[in-house]
């Protein structure tokens, strides 16, 4: 993505500053806000805009999966003021008392959030989260590297021997196991151990066909014609297509994931007032529009959609209607602790299996 190198350099510099602080791995400081976000997920100039508008300095660090974020915080890392986990992870963190309730009086721009995204299952009283971006999952493919007769609107293609060593899938358990569950006709949110074992067996069959399990590295591989098929989100597809216009996107008819990533404040946040100011600024039309146009993810802010080119705001994959959502999409729910432990076990067994 356009900002990738800068994000990596910034993260490296930030890690050096953490080491210098000697505070056990968490960021610290005075008039600052310490933000922990996904990679490839912001227009970096928005941070400058926020600093100029508020005088609050932003320390910015990135992670590449919900599980990495959770592992760091659960492992004792402290000092982060704003984090941006996904729906199911927000629910888990609420259950485990890892989040602070937000002060919505300090977030007046929250009123611009699409009502359809309010009071979600993962945060039913909307006490702990403010939507940041949302989108849908699909298959990104290079038509020059696949059979022109190939049916791409099915998860089955990720198990096609024709594309051995030319397939990329997620390097995390929830998304990858979820794809197998959908291929089998099950819910993303099943707690049935038998269904999850079936999914593991299917993934073990798939593993020898894969080029590998990846997260942000999927960008360079798909953009560089180094792989035929990858699984990622529609906003990422639009970014990849800027650099490689031949790429196309397909939504599997077995069903797919609609996700929401939202801004939250970890328990014990040191700079809560600054965190509220940051969240409110991210919900401004100017910041939301910059972030949307940089990342191509779908904005939850109604005024941002009004400002977008009609080609974007009317794109059914970026802003799907209710009928499409009900027919094709399922969101991740927070799973019970026993099922989460089973997911961890399945993932270890998959990674350690032949392939």
């Amino acid at each position: 993505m356009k900002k990738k190198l800068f994000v990596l350099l910034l993260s490296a510099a930030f890690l050096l500053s953490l080491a210098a602080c000697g505070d056990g791995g968490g960021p610290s400081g005075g008039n600052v806000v310490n933000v922990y976000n996904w990679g490839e997920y912001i227009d970096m100039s928005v941070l400058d805009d926020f600093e100029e508008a508020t005088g609050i300095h932003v320390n910015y660090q990135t992670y590449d999966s919900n599980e990495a974020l959770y592992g760091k915080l659960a492992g004792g890392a402290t000092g982060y003021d704003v984090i941006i986990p996904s729906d199911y992870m927000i629910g888990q963190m609420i259950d485990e008392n890892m989040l602070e309730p937000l002060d919505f009086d300090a977030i007046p721009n929250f009123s611009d959030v699409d009502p359809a995204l309010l009071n979600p299952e993962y945060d039913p009283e909307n006490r702990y989260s403010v939507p940041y971006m949302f989108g849908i999952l699909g298959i990104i493919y290079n038509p020059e590297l696949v059979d022109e007769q190939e049916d791409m609107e099915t998860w089955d293609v990720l198990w096609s021997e024709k594309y051995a060593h030319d397939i990329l899938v997620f390097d995390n358990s929830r998304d990858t196991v979820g794809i197998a569950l959908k291929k089998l006709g099950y819910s993303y949110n099943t707690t049935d151990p038998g269904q999850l074992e079936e999914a593991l067996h299917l993934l073990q069959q798939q593993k020898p066909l894969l080029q590998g399990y990846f997260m942000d590295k999927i960008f360079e591989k798909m953009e560089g014609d180094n792989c035929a098929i990858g699984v990622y989100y529609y906003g990422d597809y639009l970014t990849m297509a800027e650099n490689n216009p031949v790429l196309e996107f397909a939504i599997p008819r077995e069903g797919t994931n609609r996700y929401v990533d939202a801004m939250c404040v970890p328990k014990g946040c040191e700079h809560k007032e600054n965190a509220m100011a940051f969240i409110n600024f991210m919900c401004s039309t100017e910041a939301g529009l910059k972030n949307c146009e940089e990342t191509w993810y779908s904005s939850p802010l109604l005024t941002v959609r009004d400002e977008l080119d009609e080609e974007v705001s009317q794109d059914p994959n970026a802003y799907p209607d209710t009928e499409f959502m009900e027919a094709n999409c399922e969101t991740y729910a927070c799973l019970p602790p026993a099922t989460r432990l089973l997911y961890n076990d399945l993932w270890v067994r998959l990674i350690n299996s032949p392939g």
Side-chain angles (χ1 to χ4, degrees):
M1 196 170 177
K2 288 176 269 187
K3 299 291 183 181
K4 183 165 187 175
L5 177 59
F6 181 59
V7 169
L8 291 173
L9 292 174
L10 184 60
S11 295
F14 184 46
L15 288 171
L16 289 174
S17 74
L18 297 187
C21 289
D23 63 352
S28 64
N31 192 27
V32 302
V33 61
N34 300 305
V35 179
Y36 201 22
N37 192 7
W38 294 83
E40 318 290 345
Y41 213 23
I42 199 169
D43 183 324
M44 298 301 292
S45 72
V46 170
L47 303 182
D48 297 328
D49 295 342
F50 173 76
E51 292 184 353
E52 183 177 352
T54 65
I56 300 169
H57 176 65
V58 182
N59 289 324
Y60 190 80
Q61 189 178 9
T62 65
Y63 53 89
D64 65 4
S65 73
N66 284 293
E67 289 69 27
L69 164 65
Y70 174 81
K72 190 159 189 177
L73 297 183
T78 59
Y80 297 104
D81 301 312
V82 178
I83 57 175
I84 308 179
S86 301
D87 34 38
Y88 72 93
M89 186 56 69
I90 295 169
Q92 180 176 337
M93 288 180 165
I94 292 171
D95 284 352
E96 297 182 16
N97 196 30
M98 295 175 68
L99 300 179
E100 293 275 1
L102 302 181
D103 177 8
F104 282 91
D105 289 338
I107 314 173
N109 290 333
F110 180 71
S111 62
D112 193 30
V113 173
D114 185 345
L117 298 174
L118 301 183
N119 304 313
E121 182 180 355
Y122 58 85
D123 184 9
E125 297 180 9
N126 234 129
R127 297 182 62 208
Y128 299 94
S129 63
V130 172
Y132 178 71
M133 296 283 191
F134 71 95
I136 59 174
L137 175 65
I139 295 171
I140 302 170
Y141 65 98
N142 188 324
E144 295 180 351
L145 300 178
V146 300
D147 185 336
E148 64 179 8
Q149 303 300 318
E150 188 71 66
D151 180 1
M152 302 303 297
E153 296 182 357
T154 172
W155 293 120
D156 290 347
V157 75
L158 301 181
W159 276 261
S160 174
E161 294 186 0
K162 288 190 294 185
Y163 307 115
H165 311 300
D166 239 0
I167 302 168
L168 309 174
V169 297
F170 286 110
D171 188 17
N172 73 69
S173 60
R174 191 69 195 267
D175 288 308
T176 296
V177 173
I179 288 169
L181 288 171
K182 279 297 174 190
K183 175 174 162 56
L184 290 165
Y186 300 140
S187 168
Y188 281 128
N189 301 312
T190 182
T191 59
D192 184 324
Q195 293 180 359
L196 290 165
E197 285 288 342
E198 284 185 65
L200 172 63
H201 181 64
L202 198 60
L203 292 171
Q204 288 172 331
Q205 293 176 334
Q206 179 197 52
K207 188 176 180 182
L209 304 176
L210 299 179
Q211 191 174 116
Y213 300 104
F214 298 102
M215 294 302 293
D216 287 345
K217 198 171 182 179
I218 290 177
F219 282 85
E220 63 185 72
K221 285 186 170 290
M222 295 303 299
E223 290 172 358
D225 295 330
N226 295 314
C227 204
I229 302 170
V231 180
Y232 234 56
Y233 300 101
Y234 187 64
D236 295 307
Y237 157 72
L238 293 175
T239 297
M240 294 178 205
E242 281 189 309
N243 298 316
N244 188 349
V246 73
L247 296 176
E248 297 188 14
F249 185 83
I251 299 172
R253 57 181 166 272
E254 297 93 341
T256 192
N257 171 237
R258 195 290 299 267
Y259 73 91
V260 178
D261 294 333
M263 296 176 282
C264 304
V265 172
K267 200 76 172 179
C269 159
E270 183 178 352
H271 309 103
K272 188 169 182 179
E273 185 176 341
N274 293 351
M276 297 303 103
F278 183 84
I279 292 172
N280 189 58
F281 191 85
M282 291 298 107
C283 291
S284 67
T285 305
E286 180 181 3
L289 187 61
K290 278 190 173 184
N291 285 334
C292 184
E293 291 180 338
E294 171 67 14
T295 68
W296 292 110
Y297 282 95
S298 302
S299 174
L301 304 174
L302 297 177
T303 57
V304 168
R305 297 184 203 176
D306 290 341
E307 294 290 329
L308 292 171
D309 291 340
E310 188 170 311
E311 181 182 359
V312 178
S313 64
Q314 299 301 314
D315 183 337
N317 289 332
Y319 297 98
D321 59 28
T322 302
E323 182 179 354
F324 173 89
M325 294 288 296
E326 291 177 350
N328 298 281
C329 299
E330 184 181 14
T331 58
Y332 290 142
C334 176
L335 298 172
T339 304
R340 298 200 297 265
L341 287 173
L342 179 54
Y343 261 81
N344 292 340
D345 174 66
L346 294 175
W347 189 247
V348 170
R349 289 162 60 193
L350 175 61
I351 295 303
N352 291 329
S353 64

